Amino acid sequence: MATAKNAFSTPLNDKDPYIYQVGFGNGFASEAIPNVLPVGQNTPQKNKYGLYAEGINGTSFVAPRHENQRTWLYRMRPSVSHNGFNDAPENSFLESNFSPLNPKVHVSATQQAWHPLDIPSEKVDFVQVHVYLANTSMGNKAFVNSDGDMLILPQQGRLDIQTELGKLMVRPGELVVIQKGLKFKITLPDGPSRGYIQEIYGSRYELPELGPLGANGLANVRDFEHPVASFDIDQSDWEIVYKVSGKLFVCTQDHTPFDVVAWHGNYVPYKYAMEKFIGVGSITKDHIDPSIFCVLTAKSKTPGIPLADFLIFSPRWDVANGTFRPPYFHRNTASELMGLIYGVYEGRSDSFKPGSISYETGFCPHGVSWEEYKKASEMELVPMRVHEGTLAFMFESSMPFGITEFAMKSEKRHEHEPGMWNDLRNNFIANIEQVNQDLKAAGLPEIKP
């Protein structure tokens, strides 16, 4: 194995052995051996050391320049060097194809939740089941998602991810995005791992606009980390699993897919440490909409309406005066799926532990319990820290989420207890005497309850 050394890294801990290039949407260049990249062209008649030039396009050839994503790889064997495709033995992904014709996909108007799923007792790697649960490294197996980009959030255990463009070590508290079409494998350095994945189709993750915030804030460009070139020399047998329209196919080959000696381009996986997020909020009164917690967004085909947003809720100050500080009661056009990486998230009817999931479809009403409402209505409003030691997140989408048969029948599923709101009494009726006094003073007729 050889890895480039001339790169910059911004580590928060000592459990990441790799180095990275930083930025977002940049055009990068990386060489594991100096002077391998061709100068002034992409496909010379002969590449250094007899390497093959292979291009990968993440967008159409004619996409506008600011949207165009592509990378050139210089590798020992091109990706066409394999023994053909067959159906893969694991095809649980098919159950999740969201279509009215698929009887194994459900919808729900009721708020649903799932307790953390148990780590399987049998050996299962990252691609064998359509949930993020794994206890076995992938070995000589790689995965390619031909359907969409994946945003992966470890909740338990680090992921040692080897991609064609280099390696990333991703811990709980970090996210990683692997774009469609890129080969990768996952090793589990800490043993069994569990987490969350958001997969998007027909769009790309990008940074949200900052608007009046100006040039800085939220997730800063320099905090996104991309791998550097790294290659193996390995002539053993490998399996490459492809996901195509939700179905898995497998091909075999007699060489590693991780043989890229150098590359350049802007179609590159990346990771981000969510502790680096620069939070903003109201410093006078009232709430600012939760879009201020957006780390990444993906556009839909309708201008101004995101296909998907990724938001986080992490330690911050709450200083708003004369304000009901918890999340206000609301109905939102977006479908929301919430999870917890670590810590405690209060104000819920269930035991919302790290690894849990909570889901509500668009316009499903939600808000805090009576106990939280009463406490927040009567508390002394002093500057205070909230979500200390906690990292929660939300996947939002303008589209409805389908619920798989596996999820609907899981013993971990439970519906939110609507009784948590039973004590939200009618305070207006309780204060009818004061109401009528005020009406009388204003020369208006009284109300009879």
Side-chain angles (χ1 to χ4, degrees):
M1 185 273 290
T3 303
K5 297 298 183 185
N6 55 340
F8 179 71
S9 178
T10 55
L12 282 180
N13 59 75
D14 58 0
K15 293 188 176 181
D16 188 341
Y18 306 132
I19 55 177
Y20 303 93
Q21 303 178 93
V22 298
F24 192 91
N26 302 33
F28 295 101
S30 186
E31 299 175 316
I33 297 177
N35 303 317
V36 169
L37 287 174
V39 177
Q41 64 179 126
N42 297 319
T43 55
Q45 185 178 22
K46 290 184 178 182
N47 286 297
K48 196 167 186 178
Y49 306 128
L51 296 172
Y52 295 90
E54 180 177 290
I56 181 166
N57 288 78
T59 53
S60 72
F61 294 124
V62 294
R65 182 177 285 254
H66 70 281
E67 296 178 358
N68 209 297
Q69 296 188 15
R70 72 283 174 207
T71 290
W72 282 97
L73 315 174
Y74 299 88
R75 63 192 317 155
M76 299 177 199
R77 299 278 294 278
S79 294
V80 295
S81 299
H82 63 77
N83 298 319
F85 290 97
N86 294 291
D87 288 357
E90 311 94 3
N91 258 308
S92 59
F93 284 80
L94 283 172
E95 291 188 2
S96 66
N97 284 355
F98 191 15
S99 164
L101 302 178
N102 189 343
K104 292 188 175 183
V105 172
H106 306 262
V107 294
S108 173
T110 301
Q111 290 174 290
Q112 303 283 341
W114 287 263
H115 295 302
L117 296 175
D118 298 325
I119 300 292
S121 56
E122 69 276 13
K123 288 187 176 182
V124 176
D125 66 29
F126 188 79
V127 302
Q128 285 181 291
V129 291
H130 197 188
V131 289
Y132 176 177
L133 290 171
N135 57 20
T136 302
S137 298
M138 290 175 63
N140 280 29
K141 179 193 287 187
F143 182 63
V144 182
N145 186 349
S146 297
D147 294 337
D149 293 6
M150 293 193 295
L151 188 158
I152 303 171
L153 301 170
Q155 179 271 312
Q156 173 183 322
R158 290 175 299 163
L159 300 180
D160 189 348
I161 305 176
Q162 184 173 16
T163 77
E164 294 175 275
L165 283 75
K167 297 182 177 183
L168 307 99
M169 183 70 75
V170 186
R171 58 170 174 82
E174 293 180 319
L175 66 84
V176 61
V177 171
I178 303 178
Q179 294 88 342
K180 63 186 289 188
L182 296 177
K183 302 185 187 79
F184 69 93
K185 64 170 282 189
I186 289 180
T187 301
L188 308 177
D190 302 327
S193 183
R194 177 176 59 200
Y196 307 89
I197 299 176
Q198 183 182 57
E199 183 180 6
I200 59 170
Y201 309 102
S203 188
R204 291 275 181 262
Y205 290 107
E206 55 188 66
L207 296 177
E209 297 294 342
L210 292 178
L213 290 181
N216 305 288
L218 306 187
N220 285 326
V221 167
R222 70 180 298 265
D223 292 327
F224 289 83
E225 300 178 298
H226 303 68
V228 297
S230 174
F231 67 87
D232 295 334
I233 298 177
D234 180 354
Q235 302 296 319
S236 61
D237 293 332
W238 279 75
E239 287 186 351
I240 316 296
V241 178
Y242 284 76
K243 184 165 82 73
V244 181
S245 296
K247 186 173 181 179
L248 299 185
F249 299 87
V250 63
C251 67
T252 60
Q253 60 187 53
D254 61 359
H255 57 96
T256 178
F258 305 114
D259 62 356
V260 177
V261 180
W263 58 266
H264 72 87
N266 62 354
Y267 197 56
V268 188
Y270 55 85
K271 73 169 188 169
Y272 172 74
M274 289 175 278
E275 297 90 345
K276 296 178 180 178
F277 187 76
I278 308 298
V280 298
S282 173
I283 56 173
T284 54
K285 58 181 179 293
D286 269 356
H287 287 265
I288 300 178
D289 289 334
S291 48
I292 60 172
F293 303 117
C294 185
V295 180
L296 292 170
T297 186
K299 294 176 181 176
S300 73
K301 296 179 180 178
T302 304
I305 299 179
L307 171 67
D309 284 332
F310 172 68
L311 295 74
I312 62 171
F313 309 103
S314 53
R316 59 183 173 86
W317 283 99
D318 198 342
V319 300
N321 283 323
T323 298
F324 180 77
R325 288 182 176 179
Y328 49 85
F329 299 101
H330 63 288
R331 293 175 293 161
N332 188 353
T333 183
S335 298
E336 300 179 350
L337 186 147
M338 187 172 183
L340 184 62
I341 305 297
Y342 53 75
V344 177
Y345 199 85
E346 297 178 343
R348 305 182 58 83
S349 64
D350 58 350
S351 177
F352 196 63
K353 300 177 181 178
S356 297
I357 288 175
S358 173
Y359 163 70
E360 54 228 1
T361 191
F363 296 109
C364 178
H366 46 288
V368 298
S369 65
W370 162 251
E371 290 78 11
E372 289 293 315
Y373 174 84
K374 188 174 187 300
K375 182 172 68 174
S377 299
E378 299 173 353
M379 65 185 287
E380 181 184 2
L381 295 178
V382 297
M384 60 185 294
R385 294 284 291 174
V386 296
H387 304 321
E388 202 69 72
T390 293
L391 179 59
F393 72 89
M394 186 172 289
F395 294 146
E396 283 195 345
S397 178
S398 58
M399 307 295 289
F401 294 148
I403 304 175
T404 64
E405 185 96 336
F406 169 84
M408 286 300 291
K409 292 184 175 180
S410 171
E411 61 180 14
K412 302 294 185 179
R413 183 181 73 89
H414 60 285
E415 296 183 353
H416 276 292
E417 175 50 60
M420 69 179 284
W421 298 294
N422 285 349
D423 289 333
L424 291 168
R425 63 198 67 171
N426 190 327
N427 293 317
F428 185 86
I429 296 298
N431 288 282
I432 195 66
E433 183 176 340
Q434 182 62 52
V435 171
N436 282 328
Q437 289 178 9
D438 293 342
L439 289 173
K440 183 177 180 180
L444 298 172
E446 294 184 357
I447 295 174
K448 294 183 179 180

